[in-house]
Amino acid sequence: MEPFGTPEGAKMNIWGLLKNILPYVMPYRGLVAVTLVLTLVGSLMAQVNAVVLDRAVDSINALIQAPDGFSWGAAVRILTVISIILLGKEVVGALVTFFQRYYGERMRILVSRDLSLRVVERILSFRMAFFSSEGNETGRLQSRIDRGIMSLSNTVNNFFIEILPLFTSAVLALVLMFAANFYVGLVALCIIPIYFYVTYIQASRMKGGRRSIFGGHQAVSQGILNIIESMNVIKSFNRERIEADRQAGLQRTMTDLQLGLRKQSYMFNGLKSFLEQIGTVLIIILTAYLVLTGYPGMTIGKIMYHVMLFANVSAPIRQLHRIYDDMNDALIYAEGFFGILKADEEVEPTGSHHPDEVKGDFELSHVDFTYPGGTKALTEVSMRIESGKITAFVGLSGAGKTTIVNLLDKFFNPDSGSISLDGVELSQWDTRWLREHIGLVLQKNHIFDGTIEENIRYGNPDATHDDVVWAARQAFLYDQVADLPDGFNTSALQLSGGQQQRVAIARMFIKNPPIIFLDEPTASLDAIATEQIKASIDAIKQGRTVIIISHNIGQIIDADQIYVLEHGRVVQQGKPEEVYRQGGLYKDIFDASARSMNVDKIADTMAGT
């Protein structure tokens, strides 16, 4: 299996990452200020042990070598002072660490929330073509968002809780080393760029692997989602082993990538640990040499002083490989995440036209359309859909019927040609205003995680309970809901497929729009329910513009005008009876539907009763 692909989006460096995160951090500048103050205090506390040890060693050494001899009283005083300082430092340090981590974590959680809200608002503004494009499948998109938010919020956490305190402490320690002895400070300073260079080489060589792993996470997420959504098909064909093997292949590829990356990481980390130890050895040797040669200001205490200060200098180095790994992960995930936030070309276009009255007179002229994946759906389609009348689209599967509805609802824009509504180009219409005046019932409608009442009220958030009951009655759903223990408070996900379809139809009734699009509205209903719903739909059709797609000839034959489509082209049009007399595709579909229903036997059966 080939390595996974890399995510879309502009390549990002650390500065670009921080620049993109900054707008989400700035609203909490108060927390930033408090965290910075606590960081400075904590960094000062981190140097106390080295200073105390330096003074303690020299004081004890002087006490031992005192001309008057050793004094336990003086020793107790020294130990008491050391204990008070060190214990006091620990108390202050614990308080500082607590508040620093609390405020840092608070900032991380708030930034994570803002990022989540922002990306949700963003994807809601995108045109449908974005979600149909390769790489934007549900599982992949969810992985980009989830891992992007997680890595970016962790970056905020790393910066204010890990990186900033460590590097502030390192700078202070380095200043103290230079203040004590220039040469010792210089040795400590020289080790740092070497270590950073090794870390930079490590990151550069591992970046490709990180990108592949990112793509792997998306592929695995999409694969699991596909399994869940297709479970009934998988089980009906006994294809569990095939799906498990497919997932195993993805996981094996991921495992190989992860192990290879870890192996490379551990090799570099071992080299960096060796460099750190070299620095410690050089500090000890140099300080000991200066003490032995009687260099001014160099005492025995300075050996431990410099070693402990160098430990503070090297602390960021010890943590750098882990933090740098997290930062590089954030760079990879941020590319995909901010790619979504900055996809301005994907924002759904809208106009400003919103008249007080929408009649529903559509006209398509020489319309061509190709889906983002490259599938040609419509070619030179021209038609007139008159307001207040019923227009039916007829054709075999894949003829382009649903595509036209998608264009009329501005889910997609035509590649060429024009579409107008009430004499105004559809592109000039305010998209939200247009959709407020269109009712759409699909063959398979989405039911939200909520009660039946909430799902019906989705058609009109301002509707009252009485309105919901009325809509349920119109959709012949009320009696079934009334029999449920919790009535309209029952979870809509517990309903059968046919009942969920009625919920979708009830949404359309409660919305009460002047334009109605019906795409196989009774496909999942039984015969009696179909007759009931047809009666309700017939009632609501009056005085509205209705477009219906159906393989049910009983619904098609009621249309005022039909358009027959084949391979994305209009091949016949006119009144149903006129088109039938023309012969051709419509007659073939009509006759086949009649035969499939055994119309002759049905007629004989009814005649014999």
Side-chain angles (χ1 to χ4, degrees), residues 21 45 181 199 230 297 339 346 416 428 448-449 471 541 548 576 591:
I21 294 179
M45 292 294 103
N181 186 274
T199 303
S230 308
E346 301 293 351
S416 61
Q428 298 179 25
F448 297 93
D449 184 10
K541 284 177 181 177
I548 186 166
D591 292 345

Side-chain angles (χ1 to χ4, degrees), residues 206-214 261 325 328-329 332:
M206 295 173 65
K207 183 173 290 187
R210 294 180 190 280
R211 292 183 186 279
S212 295
I213 288 176
F214 175 80
L261 201 64
D325 281 351
N328 276 281
D329 283 341
I332 302 301

Side-chain angles (χ1 to χ4, degrees), residues 34 40 64 95 141 151 171 199 205 269 301 361 531 537 541 548 578 609:
V34 171
L40 180 59
I64 293 173
L95 290 173
L141 198 58
S151 62
V171 170
T199 303
R205 293 189 178 182
N269 292 341
D361 193 349
E531 182 183 16
I537 291 177
K541 284 177 181 177
I548 186 166
E578 294 175 354
T609 58

Side-chain angles (χ1 to χ4, degrees), residues 27-81:
Y28 310 107
R29 56 178 66 88
L31 284 176
V32 173
V34 171
T35 304
L36 292 177
V37 172
L38 292 172
T39 296
L40 180 59
V41 174
S43 299
L44 290 171
M45 292 294 103
Q47 319 308 321
V48 170
N49 284 358
V51 175
V52 170
L53 188 59
D54 175 29
R55 299 291 187 267
V57 170
D58 288 343
S59 297
I60 293 172
N61 185 52
L63 181 61
I64 293 173
Q65 298 179 6
D68 298 335
F70 180 78
S71 170
W72 275 108
V76 170
R77 284 194 298 272
I78 293 173
L79 294 175
T80 300
V81 172

Side-chain angles (χ1 to χ4, degrees), residues 267-380:
M267 291 175 59
F268 277 101
N269 292 341
L271 176 60
K272 290 186 287 187
S273 296
F274 178 69
L275 289 173
E276 181 187 348
Q277 294 306 314
I278 288 178
T280 302
V281 171
L282 291 176
I283 293 295
I284 293 173
I285 292 175
L286 179 58
T287 306
Y289 171 78
L290 293 175
V291 171
L292 292 172
T293 57
Y295 193 89
M298 287 292 103
T299 62
I300 295 176
K302 287 295 186 291
I303 296 177
M304 294 303 299
Y305 179 66
H306 286 153
V307 169
M308 293 192 72
L309 287 178
F310 184 70
N312 288 340
V313 172
S314 60
I317 297 177
R318 288 195 298 272
Q319 297 292 329
L320 189 62
H321 68 274
R322 179 184 61 80
I323 296 173
Y324 207 76
D325 281 351
D326 291 343
M327 291 292 287
N328 276 281
D329 283 341
L331 289 177
I332 302 301
Y333 297 137
E335 290 173 3
F337 183 81
F338 285 113
I340 295 174
L341 293 187
K342 295 185 176 182
D344 294 331
E345 71 281 0
E346 301 293 351
V347 175
E348 190 171 44
T350 187
S352 58
H353 184 65
H354 54 278
D356 294 334
E357 182 184 7
V358 179
K359 297 178 181 178
D361 193 349
F362 288 97
E363 185 166 356
L364 291 80
S365 178
H366 306 290
V367 170
D368 284 13
F369 177 74
T370 303
Y371 280 103
T375 302
K376 182 75 171 181
L378 298 176
T379 303
E380 285 288 315

Side-chain angles (χ1 to χ4, degrees), residues 281-543:
V281 171
L282 291 176
I283 293 295
I284 293 173
I285 292 175
L286 179 58
T287 306
Y289 171 78
L290 293 175
V291 171
L292 292 172
T293 57
Y295 193 89
M298 287 292 103
T299 62
I300 295 176
K302 287 295 186 291
I303 296 177
M304 294 303 299
Y305 179 66
H306 286 153
V307 169
M308 293 192 72
L309 287 178
F310 184 70
N312 288 340
V313 172
S314 60
I317 297 177
R318 288 195 298 272
Q319 297 292 329
L320 189 62
H321 68 274
R322 179 184 61 80
I323 296 173
Y324 207 76
D325 281 351
D326 291 343
M327 291 292 287
N328 276 281
D329 283 341
L331 289 177
I332 302 301
Y333 297 137
E335 290 173 3
F337 183 81
F338 285 113
I340 295 174
L341 293 187
K342 295 185 176 182
D344 294 331
E345 71 281 0
E346 301 293 351
V347 175
E348 190 171 44
T350 187
S352 58
H353 184 65
H354 54 278
D356 294 334
E357 182 184 7
V358 179
K359 297 178 181 178
D361 193 349
F362 288 97
E363 185 166 356
L364 291 80
S365 178
H366 306 290
V367 170
D368 284 13
F369 177 74
T370 303
Y371 280 103
T375 302
K376 182 75 171 181
L378 298 176
T379 303
E380 285 288 315
V381 171
S382 297
M383 60 176 62
R384 173 76 183 277
I385 298 167
E386 297 185 42
S387 62
K389 293 187 177 181
I390 302 171
T391 302
F393 296 157
V394 183
L396 303 178
S397 297
K401 305 182 296 297
T402 300
T403 299
I404 295 177
V405 170
N406 287 335
L407 292 176
L408 296 181
D409 215 355
K410 289 188 72 174
F411 290 154
F412 297 93
N413 295 318
D415 301 333
S416 61
S418 65
I419 303 176
S420 65
L421 171 59
D422 296 343
V424 178
E425 282 288 329
L426 208 60
S427 60
Q428 298 179 25
W429 279 75
D430 182 299
T431 303
R432 291 179 59 85
W433 182 262
L434 171 70
R435 291 175 184 163
E436 285 293 335
H437 292 79
I438 292 177
L440 178 62
V441 178
L442 303 174
Q443 180 176 351
K444 184 178 180 181
N445 293 274
H446 182 76
I447 298 299
F448 297 93
D449 184 10
T451 66
I452 296 173
E453 179 162 344
E454 289 170 343
N455 270 269
I456 294 176
R457 188 179 279 125
Y458 202 80
N460 180 6
D462 298 326
T464 65
H465 177 72
D466 290 340
D467 294 331
V468 172
V469 170
W470 172 82
R473 289 186 184 278
Q474 294 300 114
F476 290 90
L477 179 66
Y478 177 79
D479 290 341
Q480 298 180 37
V481 173
D483 290 338
L484 298 172
D486 295 324
F488 282 93
N489 291 322
T490 304
S491 171
L493 296 177
Q494 297 179 16
L495 300 177
S496 68
Q499 290 171 326
Q500 291 183 358
Q501 185 73 352
R502 295 184 190 216
V503 169
I505 294 171
R507 284 182 195 156
M508 189 260 293
F509 278 109
I510 206 170
K511 187 176 183 180
N512 196 28
I515 302 172
I516 299 175
F517 296 157
L518 304 172
D519 190 349
E520 295 288 352
T522 60
S524 59
L525 301 179
D526 55 64
I528 294 177
T530 297
E531 182 183 16
Q532 293 172 339
I533 295 300
K534 182 179 182 300
S536 295
I537 291 177
D538 287 343
I540 201 174
K541 284 177 181 177
Q542 302 303 316

Side-chain angles (χ1 to χ4, degrees), residues 100-309:
Q100 183 184 34
R101 290 188 175 276
Y102 171 75
Y103 288 125
E105 183 67 7
R106 179 180 174 84
M107 189 185 312
R108 184 194 70 80
I109 292 172
L110 292 173
V111 169
S112 176
R113 179 198 64 186
D114 293 348
L115 287 169
S116 299
L117 293 174
R118 177 56 180 155
V119 76
V120 168
E121 291 174 354
R122 193 64 173 166
I123 62 175
L124 286 173
S125 70
F126 286 168
R127 57 197 178 99
M128 291 295 294
F130 172 83
F131 304 98
S132 303
S133 301
E134 184 178 359
N136 291 334
E137 297 88 349
T138 304
R140 294 178 182 273
L141 198 58
Q142 181 180 359
S143 178
R144 287 169 66 184
I145 293 172
D146 289 346
R147 293 186 176 275
I149 292 173
M150 179 183 67
S151 62
L152 291 171
S153 61
N154 285 341
T155 298
V156 174
N157 185 74
N158 282 335
F159 184 78
F160 288 101
I161 296 180
E162 303 284 352
I163 299 176
L164 194 59
L166 286 172
F167 277 87
T168 304
S169 176
V171 170
L172 287 175
L174 197 60
V175 169
L176 291 175
M177 291 184 75
F178 270 103
N181 186 274
F182 175 80
Y183 299 106
V184 176
L186 190 62
V187 170
L189 184 62
C190 289
I191 295 295
I192 296 175
I194 298 174
Y195 194 97
F196 273 102
Y197 178 73
V198 173
T199 303
Y200 171 77
I201 296 298
Q202 176 185 5
S204 299
R205 293 189 178 182
M206 295 173 65
K207 183 173 290 187
R210 294 180 190 280
R211 292 183 186 279
S212 295
I213 288 176
F214 175 80
H217 283 307
Q218 290 190 6
V220 169
S221 179
Q222 181 64 37
I224 293 174
L225 184 64
N226 288 339
I227 288 176
I228 294 173
E229 291 180 342
S230 308
M231 189 62 69
N232 59 339
V233 177
I234 293 170
K235 288 188 173 295
S236 68
F237 284 93
N238 293 322
R239 297 297 181 261
E240 291 90 342
R241 176 44 48 194
I242 290 177
E243 294 302 326
D245 290 343
R246 182 179 289 121
Q247 276 296 305
L250 293 174
Q251 293 291 354
R252 281 194 296 269
T253 303
M254 279 285 291
T255 300
D256 293 341
L257 287 169
Q258 290 172 323
L259 289 176
L261 201 64
R262 287 298 110 197
K263 179 180 178 181
Q264 196 173 21
S265 176
Y266 293 146
M267 291 175 59
F268 277 101
N269 292 341
L271 176 60
K272 290 186 287 187
S273 296
F274 178 69
L275 289 173
E276 181 187 348
Q277 294 306 314
I278 288 178
T280 302
V281 171
L282 291 176
I283 293 295
I284 293 173
I285 292 175
L286 179 58
T287 306
Y289 171 78
L290 293 175
V291 171
L292 292 172
T293 57
Y295 193 89
M298 287 292 103
T299 62
I300 295 176
K302 287 295 186 291
I303 296 177
M304 294 303 299
Y305 179 66
H306 286 153
V307 169
M308 293 192 72
L309 287 178

